[in-house]
Amino acid sequence: MSQRISGVKGMIDLLPPDIAVWQALEAAARETFRRFGYEEARTPVAEDTALFVRSVGEATDIVGKEMYTFQDKAGRSLSLRPEGTAPLVRAYVEHAVAQREPVTRWWYLGPMFRYERMKTGRYRQFWQAGAEAYGVSAPAQETELIDLAMQLFRALGLDGIRVELNSLGDPETRGVYLESLRSFLRAHRSELCAECQERTEKNPLRVFDCKNPGCQAVVAGAPAITEALSDEARAHFEVVQRQLSLLGIPFRVNPRMVRGIDYYTRTAFEFLSDDPVLGTASAVGGGGRYDRLVKELGGPDTPAVGWALGMDRLFLLLQAKGVVQPARPVLFVAVAEEGAADAALALVSRLRRAGHRVEFDARGGSLKSQMKRADKSGAAYALVLGSRELTSGEAQLKPLAGGEPVPLRLDALESALAARR
Ligand code: HAM
């Protein structure tokens, strides 16, 4: 036997029957985006590496450690996208969308790539569904997007997803806060891991994201960013909270939630689940406002807000509920003798053309084994075709879940199946 080649570590196959759960997830996402007036945007999986360095940030784990970066044959440095926000902003700027419309609302769904340590709910290729809105500086844009995510969770029957909020303020006032955080961290230098000692100088906010218990203990006593907001940023944050309450969306303000990406300004939020199927991967989504990014990437000064949901994690939650059933055929056609095989093939083709999901087994075999396969297929009905049925033009429609067979004419099968769908 030849040597077997395995899939890439951390990149998983999504196969039947689980794919039915994925399809239910995607359908609910599409439907919810439609209701909110968001339109789909698709960008390539690879981008110029500089795009992520400039947007996500050089000192983040994503850019510093987790990107799949390679040179193409012409020597360009490309990276598989670790997230979808920067690529969408790149496209928004490149296609001068701001000149065509004052407000743009886009959604996307696709695979993202981060070289992370594998565990439950954390993969190297994972799927995100995201929404991004450009052109609105009002706090109602955050509120609308959080409402969108909550309505999607509700459509999926996933209750128990919590919202955590924070405000990261504006870059102008953040400088003062970063300095006070830096001096606090310097005073606790010996309690920090080597990496956080470095982060203290390069990008102190990232210390909040460190999983090391020693560093966690230090940041628990650190000054909170919410204490250092400008009056505008504070007022903006208060309106978001008031509007969420207006819509009946519960939330908790978590001043230590800073997100692992550099482009955020003002509101940042996360959607969290405590369901044990997720292990420690409790964030099912996150996002926030990023008012400076469009300009930083060469576009006009345009405010923006967005989020992305981790579809693999939503999949785990939905699968554990066990509510999504794979679609089943309505009819299984079996042949009583080999001479009827061509007629069965033609009949099955005719019914499929009429829109019915019909199965048959081209391998043939004994009627008993075919009926076993019919049961296994999950079909609602079976029909046996032999010379008797072909001559009379009549057959029996047998309910596979039990019950009396129903006689009917073969030429009336389409309508009989339609009535039973
Ligand atoms: P993020 O928090 O890095 O944000 O990712 C969003 C979600 O993607 C996470 O909450 C998580 O559910 C999922 N996720 C992230 N990494 C993995 C992984 N390795 N395996 C499985 N799931 C994962 C962003 O990506 C931002 N672009 C969100 C955003 C959009 N901000 C503004 N607009």
Side-chain angles (χ1 to χ4, degrees), residues 170-295:
D170 296 311
E172 295 78 33
T173 51
R174 201 181 301 166
V176 179
Y177 169 71
L178 291 183
E179 265 324 303
S180 68
L181 177 62
R182 203 170 265 135
S183 16
F184 173 86
L185 293 172
R186 280 185 191 140
H188 291 83
R189 194 178 158 79
S190 59
E191 299 149 59
L192 297 174
C193 71
E195 226 176 309
C196 284
Q197 293 182 0
E198 209 177 297
R199 286 177 179 139
T200 300
E201 304 310 320
K202 283 211 302 211
N203 194 344
L205 274 187
R206 296 282 76 83
V207 179
F208 284 105
D209 301 331
C210 185
K211 306 279 182 294
N212 186 307
C215 302
Q216 284 290 319
V218 171
V219 293
I225 196 162
T226 31
E227 303 300 312
L229 300 181
S230 66
D231 290 347
E232 284 106 319
R234 187 183 307 280
H236 184 103
F237 192 39
E238 277 164 12
V239 177
V240 175
Q241 297 178 54
R242 183 176 56 71
Q243 290 175 338
L244 288 174
S245 303
L246 178 79
L247 301 192
I249 299 172
F251 61 88
R252 186 174 88 88
V253 173
N254 175 1
R256 320 229 166 264
M257 190 259 291
V258 294
R259 315 265 306 121
I261 300 178
D262 281 352
Y263 48 61
Y264 294 111
T265 50
R266 301 200 171 190
T267 325
F269 46 83
E270 261 174 357
F271 304 105
L272 302 163
S273 162
D274 300 317
D275 195 309
V277 294
L278 294 181
T280 52
S282 56
V284 295
R289 181 168 279 284
Y290 51 98
D291 287 343
R292 308 300 163 97
L293 189 59
V294 176
K295 192 160 180 217

Side-chain angles (χ1 to χ4, degrees), residues 113-173:
F113 304 85
R114 295 183 194 175
Y115 195 85
E116 291 199 76
R117 194 144 2 122
M118 270 277 284
K119 61 173 194 177
T120 305
R122 202 211 276 147
Y123 311 102
R124 291 180 176 171
Q125 174 178 296
F126 60 98
W127 290 72
Q128 280 187 346
E132 314 285 349
Y134 309 96
V136 182
S137 56
Q141 189 57 72
E142 283 95 315
T143 311
E144 177 192 77
L145 275 161
I146 293 171
D147 186 31
L148 202 175
M150 297 311 279
Q151 290 203 26
L152 172 54
F153 300 144
R154 208 182 61 175
L156 292 167
L158 299 176
D159 29 28
I161 295 181
R162 301 182 281 117
V163 183
E164 285 199 355
L165 283 187
N166 194 13
S167 175
L168 304 181
D170 296 311
E172 295 78 33
T173 51

